Amino acid sequence: MFCWLSRLYLGFSTPTGRITHLIRSSLSRTLVLTSQRRIPEFSSFVARTNTCGELRSSHVGQEVTLCGWIQYRRQNIFLVLRDFHGLVQVVIPQEESTASVRKILCEAPVESVVQVSGTVISRPPGQENPKMPTGEIEIKVKTAELLNSCKKLPFEIKDFVKKTEALRLQYRYLDLRSFQMQYNLRLRSQMVMKMREYLCNLHGFVDIETPTLFKRTPGGAKEFVIPSREPGKFYCLPQSPQQFKQLLMVGGLDRYFQVARCYRDEGSRPDRQPEFTQIDIEMSFVDQTGIRSLIEGLLQYSWPIDKDPVVVPFPSLTFAEALASYGTDKPDTRFGMKIIDISDLFRNTEVGFLQDALSKPQGAVKAIRVSEGTKYLKRKDIDSIRKFAADHFNQCSALGKLRLECADLLEARGLVLRDPALFSFLWVVDFPLFLPKEENPGELESAHHPFTAPHPSDLQLLYTEPEKVRSQHYDLVLNGSEIGGGSIRIHDAELQRYVLATLLKEDVNLLSHLLQALDFGAPPHGGIALGLDRLICLVTGAPSIRDVIAFPKSFRGHDLMSNAPDSLPPEELKPYHIQVSWPADSEAEKSSLNQPSHPES
Ligand code: ASP
C-alpha cells in the first residue's frame, strides 16, 4: 500500500504529440522540468534521518532516527511506527540495561508520537512480511523519546474502521492521518504543481492574486456579504475572479492564471462547497480552439501516471446534441445507451397516449435501448424503472435521468458499464446565451454570466430574437460531471452595456468600472475556470469533494471542528453598525450567545 508515495512524486505522465513538441521546443525549459522530476528530500531540516516508509534491505546497517505515531504494539516486543510515508517495525529491546527505552515504548498509548534511534537490521529468516514495503527489515532501537502522549481517541486511525462523516469532520486533524486523506491531498498538491509548471514555465502565464474583499456582481450566484465599518456598506466575497481577470487583460497582463478561492452562498448541495477552488485562466487574443487546446494540454501534462492517460483532443458536442442524445448538458460518455427519436415509427399507430404526445408542439416519442437489459434486469428493476419514469414525467431532463438510473440498475446486477478507470472528457459548446428567468419567464437571464460573448453568427439576433442567440461559452465535462467552463468575452463596451441594461435589465452603475475599462482599448479575450475540487475528486475516485479538501464545510455549510459560523456578542457587532434581528423561534440560539456552542452531529 505504501509504494504510493514514490509513485506519486515520480509519477506524472509524459506529454505526447503537440505538447511534446512545445516542451522540446525550448531546451532550457526542458532542463528545468527534468531537474524537478525526482523524489523530494523528505528529511531535510528536521529531527529524523529517514521516513518510516522508505526503509528497505539496502538500508541494513544504517543508524537512523525516525519520528512517527505508534500504530500498534505486539506483545510488548514489536511496535509499528507510522508516518505519512508508511509503516516500519521497531523491536522493543528486552535487556535490563534498556529498561527506560522499554518503558517508553511499552507504555506510550497508541497514536502517541515518538522519536526512536537505532540500527536498520534484516528480519530473521521466515519473519519477513511481503505485504509491507518495509517488511524485510526492522529497527533495533537504542534510544527512544516520547514526544507527546495520545489520549483516548474518538476513533481508531485505521482505514477499515467505519466512522460517520460528522465525526471525521469534527476531528478532521485526526482524519487527515488516514492513508486515503494523505493520498488525496498529496495528489492534489502534485497536480496543482504540474499545472503551475505547465502554465507558467511552458506557456508564460502569470500567477496573479486578486482580492477576496469585493463588491456585489449583478447576475449569477448568490454572494456572501461581509460587513464594513462604514454604516450600511458591505463587501462581498467574489463568486469568481471574473471581473478582475478581464481587467487584467485590459491591463496588458495577457496570460493570467490563479489557484483561486471562490465563494457562493448557494445552500447545501452534495457536490458543492460554499468555498471552493478554481484553476482560473484568462488569455488575450484567443479563440475557443485556443482555450480548448490549452486545457487539453494542461490536463494531459498534470495527469497522474498511475491513471489511464488522457487522450486528446477531447470530443465535443453542441448543447442541442447533448440534450438530444443524452438528455443533459453534462453527459456521461463512458457508455452508450443514447436517447433515440422513434416518433416516425409511431406516427400511424392508434396508441392513444403516443398520438397525444405526438400531436403536441415539439412532441416526440423517444427511447433508450438498454443493451443486455433482458439478461441483467429483473422484474423488480423494470418496476422501479416504470416508477422512476412516472415520478419524472413531463420533466425534459427525464430521459437523461432515466438513462443514468438504468445504468445504476445494470451495474447493481453486475454489468460493468462505467469503467472506474476510464476518464471520458467532453466539450459541450454552443449553449444559449440567455435563458428565461425562472421566477419570471417573460424576462431573460444569462445562461452563464453577463460577460459571455454571443456566437458571431447569431449577432444580429441579439437585437431581434435574443432568446435564440447562442453563446461562445464552453463547458468541460468529465464522466458526467461539469469540471470547468468559460467563454470568449464581450470586449466591446457598447455591446456589454446593451446586454446588461437592455436585455438583462441590470443596474449598469454597479459595473461602471468594467464598462469604462472596455472603452480604453480592451483586447479581445477569453478564459475558463476548472473546478479543482471536483476534478481531484474524480481523479482520486473519492466519494465526495469533501474528501479532497483539507478542512471542508459540512453538508449544511458548517465547520464542525470549530463550529463556524458562530455568534458574536452585540458589542462586537457595534463597529459594523449591525444589529441581529432574531427570528421569533430562535430564542434558544439567542440565549446561547454567551455560552460555548456544540457542533452539529
Ligand atoms: N468565472 C466563470 C465561472 O466561475 C468561469 C469563466 O467564465 O472563466 O464559472
Side-chain angles (χ1 to χ4, degrees), residues 239-242 245 262 264 276 278 280-282 449 452 473 482 485-487 489 526-529:
Q239 49 184 291
S240 82
Q242 185 63 38
K245 65 174 174 172
C262 306
R264 293 183 194 175
F276 59 96
Q278 285 185 341
D280 197 40
I281 290 173
E282 196 77 10
H449 57 60
T452 310
H473 179 93
E482 182 199 321
S487 53
R489 324 296 184 189
I528 190 165

